[in-house]
Amino acid sequence: MGKKKWKKSDMVGWLVMLPTLVLFAFFVWEPLLENIRISLYSAKGYELVKFVGFENYKSVINHPMFFQTLKNTIAYTLWSLVIGFIVPIIMGTLISETVHLKGLFRTGVYFPNIVPGLATIWIFSYFFTPGKTGVLNILLSKIGIEPQVWLNNPKWTIPLIVVALTWKGAGSTALIYMANISGISPDLYEAATIDGAGIWKRIRHITLPSIGSITKTMLILQVISVFQILYEPMVMTNGGPNGASTSLMMQMYTYAFRDYNFPNAAALSVMICAILIILSGLYNKLTKSREE
């Protein structure tokens, strides 16, 4: 086979993509490569001193908090799949099935995304405040339930933080599902209705299979996002109680801005990036093998 001829349309395509490629290289690849370089050096303040190889990685792994923060981060991810992944699917599906006031419901579910993220975290911090001054405890006291410690309970800290995350982000994800559901052919629903299928059968046999591809994409995006959780536990619990909610990103933040140990912070960020790449690769391989 001969060489493919370079078409004018190819040149136009590359010219259109060029600004995006330049920005991507400048804001993504260059910082990533620089981060890898910093992780291989020792430093004095902001100045790199000498090449130390993988010593910074060993230092990070040998830190007493490393495996605790890794365990916490995995717990955040798993709880987000239990609590936060299903909720947007349910919201998007049910709103798509409504006939009246659909626009109002769409606005309502998206409203939490309008609220600044830090403000949302402060709201939930006061909501889950332990003792008699907490909003949730005040409400529960009306029905005779004693005040609970909530965020001060290590068993409930991570799930409650994930609840705050879900309240903040579920609406925008639900809109994505609604957009995909709106693209399903109405003929399928009409045929199902004629055959006597109720709402639950329509959802089970038409809606859910039709949004399978976007569901897989949203799953891996959610894992990547929650695995990098930082300011939510920092504001709500400051990593407590006793490190029960400290994430890998919080540990990286501690290295960089409390200890000023930038090589260790860079090493940990590279490790987080590697973990996410491995998880994404495994997930894509599993889903591909199932499809085949």
Side-chain angles (χ1 to χ4, degrees), residues 50-61:
K50 67 175 182 178
F51 181 82
V52 294
F54 293 100
E55 290 300 317
N56 293 317
Y57 293 89
K58 294 179 182 178
S59 175
V60 168
I61 293 174

Side-chain angles (χ1 to χ4, degrees), residues 16-77:
V16 171
M17 292 173 58
L18 185 60
T20 303
L21 294 173
V22 171
L23 290 174
F24 187 82
F26 184 78
F27 288 106
V28 177
W29 286 109
E30 195 279 333
L32 177 61
L33 295 175
E34 181 64 14
N35 218 33
I36 295 173
R37 187 178 77 90
I38 293 173
S39 71
L40 300 175
Y41 283 79
S42 63
K44 189 174 182 180
Y46 293 99
E47 183 180 355
L48 300 182
V49 178
K50 67 175 182 178
F51 181 82
V52 294
F54 293 100
E55 290 300 317
N56 293 317
Y57 293 89
K58 294 179 182 178
S59 175
V60 168
I61 293 174
N62 292 329
H63 192 280
M65 284 295 293
F66 175 73
F67 287 103
Q68 177 66 41
T69 56
L70 178 60
K71 177 184 174 183
N72 292 343
T73 304
I74 293 173
Y76 278 116
T77 305

Side-chain angles (χ1 to χ4, degrees), residues 138-153:
I138 292 173
L139 296 175
L140 292 176
S141 67
K142 303 298 182 182
I143 55 175
I145 298 178
E146 293 294 322
Q148 304 295 314
V149 293
W150 300 121
L151 291 172
N152 288 347
N153 185 343

Side-chain angles (χ1 to χ4, degrees), residues 274-289:
I275 291 172
L276 290 175
I277 290 173
I278 292 171
L279 289 176
S280 301
L282 287 174
Y283 176 77
N284 289 330
K285 185 175 181 180
L286 289 173
T287 53
K288 184 177 181 181
S289 61

Side-chain angles (χ1 to χ4, degrees), residues 91-103 105 199:
M91 292 167 58
T93 303
L94 293 181
I95 293 174
S96 296
E97 287 287 338
T98 59
V99 177
H100 304 291
L101 302 177
K102 186 177 291 188
F105 290 132
I199 179 174

Side-chain angles (χ1 to χ4, degrees), residues 11 73 118 240 272:
M11 177 67 73
T73 304
L118 195 56
I272 293 172

